[in-house]
Structure formats: structure tokens, C-alpha cells
């Protein structure tokens, strides 16, 4: 069974500040059949971005998206991020205070997406089309 990439630790999350860095990191994720993850500076703050469409794995089921959305909402309520968008194939959160915190959040959501995708591949059940 293919593993569709592996979760990245916080220190290895790419900094995609600038379009060329973003393009290079996204191309690398696609080449490695991995879920794309990055951080990027926006003014004095940071943004986290994940895109499951970079890998050939299945989209995350709605039940799992609910868990990810709940975690993102908790970050908003705690004023860790000001906004978050969560979908079965894409996550973005922005206005994070520090690069270190952005890396921690990116690594946690990347590991969660990876794990949920692997669980969805492994456990038989109803599959929705991508």
C-alpha cells in the first residue's frame, strides 16, 4: 500500500514566502506524492497552507474535516490565528504571531491530514469520489 508522503516535523516545513518558493515547494510535494504544507510571512505575521490535492490520496471524509475544523476554530478562539479556512482538500490559517508557532501549527495539521488520509485508505468503507 503506498504511503503518500510522510508528515513533516516543524523544522522542515518550507518557508514559501514569495511565489518562486511556493511554486518550488508545491512542485516538490506533487513529485513526492505528498500533502503540500508551507508557511509564509505576510507582513509581520505568518500564514499556514496545506493542500491535499498535491498527493494522489483520497480527499478527507466529512467526519474528519469536522475534527480539523474544530481544531482550527479553537485556534481562532484562542487568538492564535485570526482566520482559518478548512475544506476536505485545503487548509489555510493566517495572522499567526511567530514563525515558530506557524511551524508548530503547520506540522500538527500536516500530521493530522496525513494520518486521516492513511486511515481512510486503510479502513474499508464508503468512499467518496475526489
Amino acid at each position: 500500500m503506498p504511503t503518500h508522503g510522510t508528515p513533516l516535523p516543524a523544522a522542515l516545513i518550507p518557508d514559501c514566502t514569495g511565489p518562486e518558493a511556493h511554486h518550488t515547494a508545491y512542485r516538490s510535494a506533487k513529485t513526492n506524492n505528498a500533502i503540500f504544507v508551507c508557511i509564509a510571512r505576510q507582513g509581520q505575521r505568518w500564514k499556514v497552507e496545506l493542500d491535499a490535492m498535491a498527493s494522489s490520496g483520497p480527499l478527507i471524509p466529512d467526519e474528519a474535516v469536522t475534527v480539523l475544523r474544530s481544531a482550527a476554530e479553537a485556534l481562532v478562539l484562542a487568538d492564535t490565528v485570526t482566520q482559518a479556512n478548512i475544506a476536505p482538500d485545503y487548509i489555510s490559517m493566517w495572522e499567526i504571531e511567530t514563525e515558530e508557532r506557524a511551524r508548530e501549527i503547520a506540522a500538527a495539521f500536516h500530521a493530522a491530514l496525513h494520518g486521516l488520509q492513511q486511515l481512510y485508505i486503510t479502513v474499508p468503507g464508503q468512499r467518496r469520489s475526489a
Side-chain angles (χ1 to χ4, degrees):
M1 180 180 344
T3 59
H4 301 294
T6 58
L8 293 176
L12 297 182
I13 302 293
D15 180 347
C16 292
T17 302
E20 186 57 36
H22 189 278
H23 179 72
T24 299
Y26 194 86
R27 186 175 50 234
S28 176
K30 284 196 74 73
T31 298
N32 293 306
N33 196 26
I35 296 169
F36 171 73
V37 59
C38 77
I39 61 168
R41 181 181 282 281
Q42 291 187 312
Q44 296 299 312
R45 303 214 177 209
W46 291 84
K47 176 182 180 176
V48 167
E49 182 179 350
L50 295 101
D51 187 346
M53 297 299 284
S55 82
S56 64
L59 294 181
I60 306 305
D62 291 338
E63 300 84 5
V65 173
T66 300
V67 172
L68 296 170
R69 187 172 287 120
S70 178
E73 287 170 359
L75 290 171
V76 171
L77 289 172
D79 290 328
T80 303
V81 304
T82 58
Q83 268 188 305
N85 290 327
I86 309 294
D89 59 347
Y90 184 80
I91 296 173
S92 64
M93 292 175 265
W94 52 95
E95 296 210 28
I96 302 164
E97 190 73 28
T98 67
E99 177 182 359
E100 179 180 9
R101 189 65 173 131
R103 287 183 180 284
E104 291 171 354
I105 292 167
F109 276 80
H110 193 243
L113 268 176
H114 177 76
L116 290 167
Q117 193 178 66
Q118 290 305 305
L119 184 64
Y120 196 56
I121 290 168
T122 303
V123 177
Q126 293 182 340
R127 302 199 181 226
R128 43 174 223 198
S129 57

